[in-house]
DNA sequence: CTGTTAGCGCCTTCAT
DNA sequence: ATGAAGGCGCTAACAG
């Protein structure tokens, strides 16, 4: 049945006929047990990923790319969401899964997860740099410093100085990629001789309602002329707020989003955005994970540079 | 280790201590093999589901609801996409998965799938009625006749007669739920004494670009005064087309969407829509599947009635 | 209450 | 080229 070359064709046929007539289906579970390979890749995501799926275009693209890549390598994706609330740590959840390795996207993993996985010999890849130790190369991330930099630089070139950088927070903390984007943002400011002020960074939970309310407050008081928004849902909330209150984009305020270009192209107005090659990094991530699963030596890869896609939501600042 | 009541506490503690000091992790694969239960539910979706994830709010909600329900029952979701193109049928793919049962959402399953699954004793649930035999109760669907009816009735009450019903097609065929919605649509027309014309039904592949182009053609020629749109991506395409061409909603055209109310609430304008209780049907679907897995008797359930959520995209027809 | 054993279904190895 | 046997790690059944 497994196409062994040690079997005579007519014997094989006899076996295949028997399979047919008996309706025999090999027991996949036993095969997995025996071979030690499930051909399943666990995708570890937060409950937030799921509950804010609707406008979370970054996660959507990642999910699509990972699924397609896994499929092309003969693997399937198993969705794993920890409910931290239940008191089980991600490690507890992960070690109970039948998967050959894990892709960990959750921003809320505990520091302690890495050593536990290492000790247990469970292959994994992160998509964020949770550690600064150079030997931890088990992640594929993006060049977020550059992303923050090019976005800010473009706004500064357009003569904007009252810029706000809206970043999502999880449990009161910036995500690592937002920390990097802020570094790039500050670097651009410095190059243009603009002093950084704390109020330029505005943090908000990524949900639609909270974001909408936040913009309401922001535009009641001192109006910025330009916005960088690190989160797609928050970007939609901003556009909706502007629509509802007659604030014109880009005439009254310029907006730059971060995330998949495709998504922003289907918003109105067409949004200028910083675009990361999520398909590329997802492919790399799966490659890296498969290398670990097969015990091959790891070939770390430099992140690709993000790209600024200029569309209709940004204009030269003519105020004052 | 498995909390057997036959073990003395201090013996248990000795075992647990040994587990701790040895770093022993039970082999999940062997457990699955031995117990015959993987606690995995396979979610069978089409490649189209994945590639059009971005604005496919119905699939998103279903995915969310299924994942959460499965999780609450101690199961995880395994994503299964067949690539029909590769020449493997869904059955070939399904029988090779380690899952206790399958939730089949794909609209493109082959007629022959059901008997194959039955014969192989593989538990499954559909979310569409693929057959009209009353004994096939292995599906949970929605009352789509009613959905089409209430939407059309509302437009007729608003004095619209030039209505177009836009339905997605897969491989040139209407999906079963669209067939039902059209039945409801026609019923409403008949009640109001309006003759049904073939041109009232417009079919289009569900992608953004195709839909946009279709609306372009439609509004170049004879403009309808009201639109029913069965597909979320197509709805977004319509709104974008109207935005780009200065067609006002609802002043120039009324629009009703089908799908999750939340999603339509975040569009601009706020969309009137027919809302199905996807969380409810997803829960029922998992319940039904778990009943089948555990060999319990099946308790079929009537679908819940959809609801018309009236918002800002529909207005009385004052033309002529 | 504790320790031992058989067997789940497959695949690989070895003997014929 | 074919047939027979052992063992993967776990758990349920049984013996002590």
């Amino acid at each position: 049945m497994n196409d062994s070359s040690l079997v005579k064709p007519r014997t094989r046929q006899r076996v295949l006929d028997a399979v047919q007539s008996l309706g025999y289906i090999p027991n996949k579970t036993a095969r997995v047990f025996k071979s030690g390979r499930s051909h399943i890749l666990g995708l570890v995501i937060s409950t937030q990923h799921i509950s804010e799926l609707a406008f979370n275009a970054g996660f959507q693209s990642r999910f699509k790319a990972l699924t397609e890549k896994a499929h092309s390598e003969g693997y399937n994706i198993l969705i794993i969401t920890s409910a931290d609330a239940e008191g089980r740590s991600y490690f507890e959840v992960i070690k109970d899964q039948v998967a050959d390795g894990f892709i960990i996207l959750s921003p809320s993993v505990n520091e302690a997860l890495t050593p536990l996985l290492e000790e247990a010999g469970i292959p994994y890849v992160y998509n964020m740099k949770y550690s600064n130790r150079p030997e931890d190369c088990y992640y594929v991330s993006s060049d977020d410093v550059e992303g923050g930099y090019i976005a800010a630089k473009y706004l500064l070139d357009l003569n904007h100085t009252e810029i706000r950088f809206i970043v999502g927070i999880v449990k009161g903390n910036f995500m690592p990629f937002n920390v990097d984007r802020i570094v790039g943002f500050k670097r651009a400011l410095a190059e243009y001789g603009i002093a950084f002020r704390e109020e330029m960074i505005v943090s908000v939970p990524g949900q639609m309602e909270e974001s909408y309310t936040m913009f309401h407050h922001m535009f009641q008081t001192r109006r910025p002329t330009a916005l960088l928004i690190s989160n797609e849902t928050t970007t939609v909330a901003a556009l909706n707020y502007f629509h509802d209150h007659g604030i014109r984009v880009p005439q009254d305020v310029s907006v730059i989003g971060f995330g998949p270009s495709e998504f922003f192209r289907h918003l109105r107005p067409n949004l200028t955005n910083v675009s990361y090659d999520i398909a590329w990094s997802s492919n790399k991530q799966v490659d890296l994970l498969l290398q670990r699963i097969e015990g091959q030596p790891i070939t770390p890869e430099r992140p690709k540079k993000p790209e600024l896609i200029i569309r209709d939501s940004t204009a030269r600042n003519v105020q004052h």
Side-chain angles (χ1 to χ4, degrees), chain A:
Chain A
M1 283 186 58
N2 298 331
D3 286 332
S4 162
S5 58
L6 310 176
V7 178
K8 217 189 279 182
R10 61 171 293 275
T11 312
R12 166 170 301 130
Q13 195 51 52
R14 276 205 297 149
V15 172
L16 261 23
D17 289 347
V19 165
Q20 190 72 31
S21 67
L22 295 169
Y24 169 77
I25 295 179
N27 181 319
K28 186 68 195 314
T29 305
R31 283 186 162 177
V32 167
F33 172 54
K34 172 73 183 163
S35 71
R37 284 291 163 81
S38 62
H39 286 268
I40 290 176
L41 263 23
L43 182 64
V44 179
I45 58 184
S46 64
T47 50
Q48 212 179 357
H49 275 125
I50 292 285
S51 66
E52 291 166 28
L53 222 197
F55 291 94
N56 192 343
F59 174 65
Q60 290 167 7
S61 327
R62 193 154 258 127
F63 179 69
K64 173 176 187 286
L66 289 170
T67 306
E68 286 171 352
K69 170 67 172 174
H71 192 266
S72 79
E73 301 284 344
Y75 283 76
N76 286 93
I77 295 285
L78 182 74
I79 305 296
I80 300 161
T81 58
S82 144
D84 277 344
E86 289 175 20
R88 300 186 73 202
S89 69
Y90 268 117
F91 181 70
E92 296 292 316
V93 177
I94 287 174
K95 75 172 176 45
D96 273 0
Q97 301 305 142
V98 182
D100 297 336
F102 296 85
I103 300 161
I104 299 171
L105 300 186
S106 178
S108 59
V109 300
N110 192 292
E111 276 267 319
L113 183 59
T114 307
L116 288 170
L117 292 173
E118 288 292 348
E119 199 182 348
I122 296 174
Y124 65 89
V125 222
Y126 292 125
N127 76 321
M128 283 180 231
K129 209 165 94 179
Y130 288 107
S131 135
N132 278 312
R133 290 179 300 159
E135 68 272 28
D136 286 342
C137 56
Y138 299 130
Y139 67 88
V140 175
S141 65
S142 46
D143 188 341
D144 291 297
V145 174
E146 176 76 6
Y149 175 79
I150 59 176
K153 179 170 164 33
Y154 182 65
L155 290 178
L156 291 163
D157 281 336
L158 291 175
N159 206 30
H160 291 278
T161 52
E162 281 302 316
I163 305 172
R164 295 291 174 273
F165 195 167
I166 321 294
V167 294
I169 44 171
V170 171
K171 296 180 186 165
N173 292 115
F174 292 157
M175 250 103 69
F177 58 80
N178 277 333
V179 173
D180 282 354
R181 284 173 186 166
I182 291 171
V183 170
F185 174 70
K186 288 182 178 174
R187 181 178 300 168
L189 286 180
E191 273 184 21
Y192 282 69
I194 311 277
F196 170 78
R197 287 167 287 134
E198 285 301 332
E199 72 198 46
M200 287 177 165
I201 308 297
V202 179
S203 58
V204 66
Q207 294 89 327
M208 193 67 81
E209 268 72 19
E210 281 84 342
S211 301
Y212 191 96
T213 309
M214 184 276 292
F215 286 115
H216 189 65
H217 288 311
M218 179 184 286
F219 279 74
Q220 294 293 81
T221 56
R222 187 161 155 210
R223 279 201 189 188
T225 65
L227 255 30
L228 295 173
I229 310 179
S230 74
N231 170 296
E232 294 93 342
T233 306
T234 303
T235 308
V236 172
L239 295 182
N240 285 350
Y241 174 74
F242 298 149
H243 176 278
D244 296 346
H245 294 82
I247 297 171
R248 296 163 306 161
V249 178
Q251 295 91 331
D252 300 327
V253 61
S254 287
V255 178
I256 298 185
F258 288 78
S261 196
E262 270 299 281
F263 176 75
F264 289 116
R265 192 158 63 79
H266 295 310
L267 298 183
R268 289 299 180 269
N270 262 243
L271 230 72
T272 297
N273 75 288
V274 177
S275 173
Y276 297 88
D277 195 337
I278 290 180
W280 180 88
S281 68
S282 301
N283 276 16
K284 288 295 163 201
Q285 230 175 342
V286 171
D287 285 335
L288 179 55
L289 183 55
L290 294 181
Q291 283 171 7
R292 291 201 70 185
I293 289 170
E294 279 155 25
Q296 291 169 12
I298 301 304
T299 55
E301 195 111 10
R302 295 269 71 214
K304 265 179 135 175
K305 293 240 178 267
E307 208 182 334
L308 182 71
I309 311 286
I310 297 168
R311 289 200 277 239
D312 308 336
S313 66
T314 39
R316 176 161 289 277
N317 179 27
V318 291
Q319 299 184 0
H320 309 300

